[in-house]
Each structure stands twice: as C-alpha cells, then as structure tokens.
Amino acid sequence: LFLSEYLSGQAISGIALTFLGAACIKLKTISWMELKKAFGMHGDYAGARWALSASLVYSVGAIFDKASVGLFDGTSYLAFILLFMTLNMFVALLLMKTRTAVSFSAWLPVLLGGVALYLSFMFFRVALKEVFVSIATPIRQVSILFAMSFGVIFLKERVSRSTLFGALLIISGVSLLALAKH
C-alpha cells in the first residue's frame, strides 16, 4: 500500500494464512466463541492483544525500515536504530514513577538475549534489502514456531490442538509466500 509492492494472489493467501496461524496459536480452542473472546475485552487474552498491538506498530516500523535500509550500510543503519531505541528507553526509565533494581547477577542471559536480538534485527534488515516488506514481515512469524519448539523441548511446555493448528497454518502460509512470484 505505501511502497507500491505488487503481491500475487498466492502471496496474499500466504500472508492471510500466516496471520490466521499466529492468531490461532493463543486460542484455547478453535471456535467462534473463543475467537469473539480473543477480540473482545476478555482478560484471558490481554497479553495477546498487547502482542497484536506490538505487531501493528512493528509493521509500521518495517515500512520505514524498507524505505530507509538501502540508504546506509546495514551496520550503520542498525547502529542508528539501536541508538534511538536506547535513548528512548533511558527517557522512559527517567519518567517512570518507580525504579526497578537491575541485577547484574543475571548478566549472561541478558548478554545472550542482547546478542540474539541484535542478530535478529540485522538479519531482518538484510532480508528487507532483498524482498518486499510485505513478504519479509510475515515470514518472520516463523519465530513463533521456533519459540514453540524450544518451549516444548527445553521447558516441557504442552501444546494444544489449536496451537498445532496455528503452527500448520503458519507453515502453510510461509510456504505459499516462499513459492509466490514477487
């Protein structure tokens, strides 16, 4: 819409399936009633609504990324983004009414998480140089499948039928996107 990207019907179908799959991951059951609860003001889905809001904001950011990423080399561009994110976080911390203590005893997980986040940001910006933002952003939802797999393997989490159904929709959608002409 904003970048004049052309999408085939197959790509649009892939995006729709990926979106539906991501939505189904959180549902307790696949039913119309449960779907109404998820989009209503029911407390069980408050976290999912925040995640959906984050996805919307992220998508807007991805449009700006796609428009700007080619103006700099990848590392410089990412350095500017991370600098502004850091400045925003410092301002937010200064404006908070309560101060949260920072424990440096957990430095290793924080460091590893930071490295993973940096690599994720960098890889996504490289992808934006190669493909349409409307393709790269939905394909990034494969991260849901990795997180789900890691949760099952390492944290012994259980997976519901609706979660498996959502995962299959994501796989189907991403497969359509990968095979689509764009």
Side-chain angles (χ1 to χ4, degrees):
L1 181 65
F2 299 107
L3 300 174
S4 301
E5 296 179 351
Y6 167 77
L7 294 175
S8 66
Q10 183 176 348
I12 292 169
S13 298
I15 291 168
L17 282 174
T18 304
F19 176 79
L20 287 172
C24 287
I25 293 286
K26 176 67 177 156
L27 294 178
K28 291 180 179 78
T29 61
I30 304 290
S31 71
W32 182 249
M33 265 323 243
E34 201 67 21
L35 194 61
K36 281 174 51 178
K37 272 198 245 180
F39 286 99
M41 289 298 145
H42 196 267
D44 290 350
Y45 292 103
R49 284 190 297 278
W50 281 110
L52 184 60
S53 300
S55 295
L56 177 65
V57 173
Y58 186 85
S59 297
V60 171
I63 291 168
F64 288 109
D65 274 349
K66 178 66 176 181
S68 305
V69 75
L71 302 175
F72 304 88
D73 71 85
T75 304
S76 300
Y77 181 70
L78 190 55
F80 282 122
I81 290 174
L82 294 175
L83 173 68
F84 290 121
M85 288 173 72
T86 303
L87 291 173
N88 284 330
M89 289 307 300
F90 279 129
V91 169
L93 286 171
L94 291 173
L95 294 176
M96 288 176 56
K97 292 186 190 316
T98 59
R99 301 284 182 247
T100 304
V102 177
S103 170
F104 290 102
S105 62
W107 67 273
L108 185 60
V110 171
L111 176 68
L112 293 174
V115 169
L117 185 62
Y118 169 80
L119 290 173
S120 170
F121 275 32
M122 181 59 95
F123 292 156
F124 185 69
R125 270 71 195 176
V126 170
L128 284 177
K129 286 185 172 187
E130 302 296 324
V131 298
F132 290 157
V133 69
S134 49
I135 301 297
T137 303
I139 287 178
R140 195 165 199 244
Q141 297 310 310
V142 170
S143 65
I144 294 170
L145 303 178
F146 287 121
M148 189 174 74
S149 299
F150 294 155
V152 168
I153 294 167
F154 298 115
L155 303 174
K156 307 298 182 220
E157 293 178 349
R158 293 183 141 183
V159 178
S160 67
R161 276 186 259 170
S162 60
T163 302
L164 285 176
F165 180 69
L168 289 173
L169 287 176
I170 291 171
I171 291 168
S172 300
V174 169
S175 297
L176 280 176
L177 281 168
L179 298 172
K181 293 183 191 221
H182 34 271

